[in-house]
Amino acid sequence: MTNHIALWGGRFTGASSDALTQLSRSTHFDWRLAPYDIAGSRAHARALHVAGLLDASELTRMIEALNELDADVASGDFIPDPYDEDVHTALERGLIERAGSELGGKLRAGRSRNDQIATLIRMYLRDESRIIGGKLIDVIDAIVGQARRAGQAIMPGRTHMQHAQPVLVAHQLLAHVWSMIRDVERLIDLDGRLAVSPYGSGALAGNTLGMDPEAVAHDLGFDSAVWNSIDGTAARDVTAEFAFVMAQIGVDVSRISEEIIIWNTKEFSFVRLDDAYSTGSSIMPQKKNPDVAELARGKAGRVIGDLTGLLATLKSLPLAYDRDLQEDKEPVFDQIDTFDVLLPAVSGMIETMELNYERMAELAPLGFSLATDIAEWLVKQGVAFREAHEISGRCVAACEARDIELWELSDADMADIDSRLTPQVRDVLSAQGSVAARDGKGGTAPTRVAEQLEAASSRIAKLREFTSQRIVRNEH
């Protein structure tokens, strides 16, 4: 048994009920914040020293005790006790066990669990933004690798799941890359708002002990301290914003996973998944299921639910701190834990899948996907687009009546539809010609896609600079 402590209770004459104790306990989920709590305690101890509330000897012994506690937490030698209410209570008990009750008891001066937790969650989310962002970049790299290997292979581009226009396979894949790049950029943008420290806000009104919140903020790797102590302790909009970015990542990963599921069907046959990222059926021996992609699609719903649950918790909360805010952590913890295991599986699935370029090329010009090329060819001959659209539509109708494709119309057939459809129109009646013609920035022409690949690779390298950093550094 350890000697449990409480951070409150002087005005109470009786102990908490077992039911309240069970309801209040949060160490089963907030213990992951322990390294950040200890880092905050080191900075707080240094601030107490500057304010004249710890002498040099006391500061040295306090930091030594905190470093010892940090090492014991990392090794598992120190863990929460069943009587510890939360991560703060457990660590204060651990500090007192190592520093003694007189010195250890001095650390609580000038701070509250309200400003502690508001600071710790920001520190934690700053690190996790970099970790999850890095794993998402691994997915991006896998897609870019597939795009490079695809070269100038062509596939049918679709709108409304119908054949629309031919595109390069690489162009289709890179569309997913840019949305995921924006997700990492959102994390970088959010980091600027997370990098404002609530430490020094106290319970809600600040502290009277002459401590400098800006000094503590910079000590902990923040850019600055909050301007308003009430906002510092009560605001969780940055937590909700993190949860939104996680939900958006789930949506974007789900979208490419949905395409892979469709491409993996016999009817499409665009992709073959590696055995290492597929499973079989317990009853049908022939089955090879795209489980990673399906789990990615399903878990997107889960992380979206985490966001909506958090927003529901935050709505209508009066200022300043309310115990409801204990519920702000589990939703984002669940999102983080979900992506920790999901993103490596998705990147592995994409990296190892084999694309069937021949099948894609076979289907690329089908379904009258070159009809727009006919209309645009007519426009170049001086025909108004409204009329060109009508003429091209009549070509499609003629083909549908005979169950043929556009290029199977004879020169005479074309001339019968409209005399301006000369044999030269055949220059655009190929998937290769259609793709090559779309050579503006952002288009699917091979030269543009090659430029796009290099632009994406350059952007990704910049993003890696962010994801390779960490906020909390080991000090012992």
Side-chain angles (χ1 to χ4, degrees), residues 118-136:
T119 304
L120 305 190
I121 192 64
R122 292 188 186 207
M123 294 168 67
Y124 175 76
L125 293 182
R126 294 188 74 194
D127 270 349
E128 288 299 333
S129 291
R130 290 157 170 78
I131 295 168
I132 298 300
K135 292 184 177 184
L136 182 59

Side-chain angles (χ1 to χ4, degrees), residues 149-180:
R149 290 192 289 276
Q152 297 187 20
I154 297 176
M155 68 179 290
R158 297 172 183 271
T159 62
H160 308 279
M161 280 302 291
Q162 306 297 308
H163 278 233
Q165 295 172 332
V167 297
L168 291 192
V169 174
H171 195 56
Q172 176 85 8
L173 291 170
L174 287 170
H176 293 289
V177 164
W178 290 108
S179 65
M180 294 180 187

Side-chain angles (χ1 to χ4, degrees), residues 135-158:
K135 292 184 177 184
L136 182 59
I137 292 177
D138 291 340
V139 176
I140 294 171
D141 283 342
I143 302 171
V144 168
Q146 287 287 359
R148 290 192 183 279
R149 290 192 289 276
Q152 297 187 20
I154 297 176
M155 68 179 290
R158 297 172 183 271

Side-chain angles (χ1 to χ4, degrees), residues 24-56:
S24 297
R25 186 177 297 125
S26 61
T27 51
H28 57 287
F29 62 81
D30 66 14
W31 186 243
R32 69 178 69 196
L33 298 176
Y36 300 90
D37 192 297
I38 295 171
S41 291
R42 292 192 193 99
H44 188 69
R46 287 188 278 263
L48 288 172
H49 172 62
V50 172
L53 300 173
L54 287 179
D55 63 30

Side-chain angles (χ1 to χ4, degrees), residues 459-475:
R459 188 79 63 87
I460 292 164
K462 288 288 187 183
L463 299 181
R464 283 285 188 194
E465 294 176 10
F466 170 77
T467 61
S468 64
Q469 303 166 2
R470 293 297 179 268
I471 301 303
V472 172
R473 296 171 292 280
N474 198 331
E475 296 190 20

Side-chain angles (χ1 to χ4, degrees), residues 74-102:
S75 67
D77 288 340
F78 181 82
I79 59 175
D81 184 272
Y83 291 99
D84 292 327
E85 184 176 2
D86 53 29
V87 61
H88 318 295
T89 308
L91 292 175
E92 183 145 336
R93 173 176 60 81
L95 175 63
I96 289 172
E97 289 172 359
R98 287 154 182 78
S101 59
E102 182 177 353

